[in-house]
Amino acid sequence: MQLIPLETLPANAQAMAIPPVWVGDVNIPAEEIAREMQYHQADTVEEAQLQAARALVVRELLRQRCDELGWDVEDGEEAALAALLDAELEVPEPAETDCQRYFEANAERFSEPLRLAVRHILLAAAPDDAEARDRQYRLGRTLIAELQSMPERFTEFAQRHSACPSKDDGGELGWLTPGQTVAELDRALQRLPEGLHDRPLASRYGWHVVSVDQRDGGRALPYAEAAERVRHTLREQATRRALRHYLLALEARLGVSGVALDDESTGALMQ
């Protein structure tokens, strides 16, 4: 997903596929939708156009509700729309029993972030080069055997053999958190204890001789320490549900044509 650059948008917005968009008796011009598109992440121009149209429909629904209440939005639209939602959204506070039940079902989400201090030696070999992968695997086993008796040579071996730029730092990758390295290596690292791993680890880039020098975090938090995060998560979910119902009720009462709201519209507004 990416933002659609402004210069790639159609010069004639009315030539695009979306029909005329109306909120009540207010038309949202195609040119305005085209200008809005640059702010929406999408794989295609058509998807960006749809997201832009929905975002503008949401804003117009809220503007018209402000007009019904006699609120002036011209001098501070963002503040007025935020105040409207604060005043009219009914978001129940999560009950303690719901918080505890959610925590028990999702305890892994509330662990301390895991960090690993890692060094590695990348022995490069393409995935489809069976001969090179076999050769580099055997080299990895040889290096590991030597490092088990002479761990101080890790820097030397990294500088001599590694195909990773980290070789200039003795193979040090620094502190890694989940998702910071290639997926197949990342999954393996999460399970490794501290120390030199006893066999090379495979990735799409070849084989990795790996030493986990330190593990930090990853501890499962007790409910007492995670309670506020759990409450915030449930409050946010409740806010999204309330916002969706509120917007759909406005859509049904004021009338929208040319585009229909859905869950993505409320998600964009929450961001």
Side-chain angles (χ1 to χ4, degrees):
M1 299 278 280
Q2 58 185 343
L3 291 176
I4 301 295
L6 182 60
E7 59 271 17
T8 67
L9 299 180
N12 181 3
Q14 293 184 352
M16 301 178 67
I18 198 166
V21 176
W22 292 80
V23 179
D25 59 0
V26 174
N27 174 245
I28 298 178
E31 293 82 0
E32 187 176 346
I33 295 173
R35 286 194 298 272
E36 175 72 17
M37 286 167 61
Q38 62 183 304
Y39 304 113
H40 295 270
Q41 290 188 335
D43 292 323
T44 66
V45 169
E46 290 75 16
E47 185 180 349
Q49 182 194 25
L50 181 59
Q51 291 181 18
R54 284 172 172 158
L56 293 174
V57 164
V58 166
R59 298 186 73 84
E60 182 59 31
L61 286 169
L62 297 179
R63 283 196 202 97
Q64 292 189 26
R65 177 55 181 158
C66 285
D67 288 343
E68 289 180 340
L69 297 173
W71 291 14
D72 182 10
V73 301
E74 296 304 321
D75 294 332
E77 180 181 286
E78 294 292 339
L81 299 187
L84 173 68
L85 294 178
D86 286 341
E88 299 213 319
L89 282 190
E90 296 183 4
V91 182
E93 190 67 19
E96 181 65 17
T97 53
D98 292 334
C99 291
Q100 292 181 354
R101 187 159 50 244
Y102 185 85
F103 174 78
E104 290 168 3
N106 301 275
E108 71 283 352
R109 296 183 55 185
F110 302 99
S111 299
E112 289 181 337
L114 176 65
R115 300 193 310 152
L116 302 172
V118 177
R119 289 178 293 162
H120 85 140
I121 300 168
L122 171 58
L123 307 173
D128 58 353
D129 190 339
E131 182 179 343
R133 291 189 75 85
D134 181 63
R135 181 176 64 253
Q136 296 290 55
Y137 177 79
R138 286 185 279 107
L139 174 58
R141 293 301 297 259
T142 299
L143 295 178
I144 289 170
E146 295 196 36
L147 289 169
Q148 286 172 336
S149 59
M150 293 177 290
E152 68 277 5
R153 298 190 68 185
F154 199 104
T155 295
E156 172 198 341
F157 288 166
Q159 292 173 341
R160 285 173 51 191
H161 299 286
S162 184
C164 177
S166 65
K167 69 179 183 179
D168 295 333
D169 297 315
E172 291 191 13
L173 297 175
W175 285 99
L176 298 179
T177 55
Q180 280 194 298
T181 187
V182 63
E184 53 269 33
L185 183 60
D186 186 67
R187 288 191 296 269
L189 287 174
Q190 309 315 308
R191 302 190 297 268
L192 295 187
E194 290 185 6
L196 178 70
H197 191 48
D198 60 3
R199 65 182 184 276
L201 295 176
S203 81
R204 69 197 72 174
Y205 299 113
W207 296 95
H208 303 257
V209 175
V210 170
S211 176
V212 177
D213 295 334
Q214 192 173 346
R215 295 178 64 94
D216 181 55
R219 177 179 69 94
L221 295 177
Y223 175 72
E225 293 184 39
E228 188 51 42
R229 286 172 57 193
V230 174
R231 196 167 292 111
H232 174 79
T233 298
L234 292 185
R235 192 181 300 119
E236 186 178 70
Q237 291 178 358
T239 300
R240 287 181 180 275
R241 287 193 296 270
L243 179 58
R244 177 177 182 272
H245 294 316
Y246 180 76
L247 291 174
L248 292 178
L250 285 179
E251 178 186 28
R253 184 166 62 81
L254 297 175
V256 174
S257 62
V259 68
L261 297 185
D262 63 2
D263 291 343
E264 292 181 2
S265 307
T266 62
L269 187 62
M270 287 291 293
Q271 294 171 2

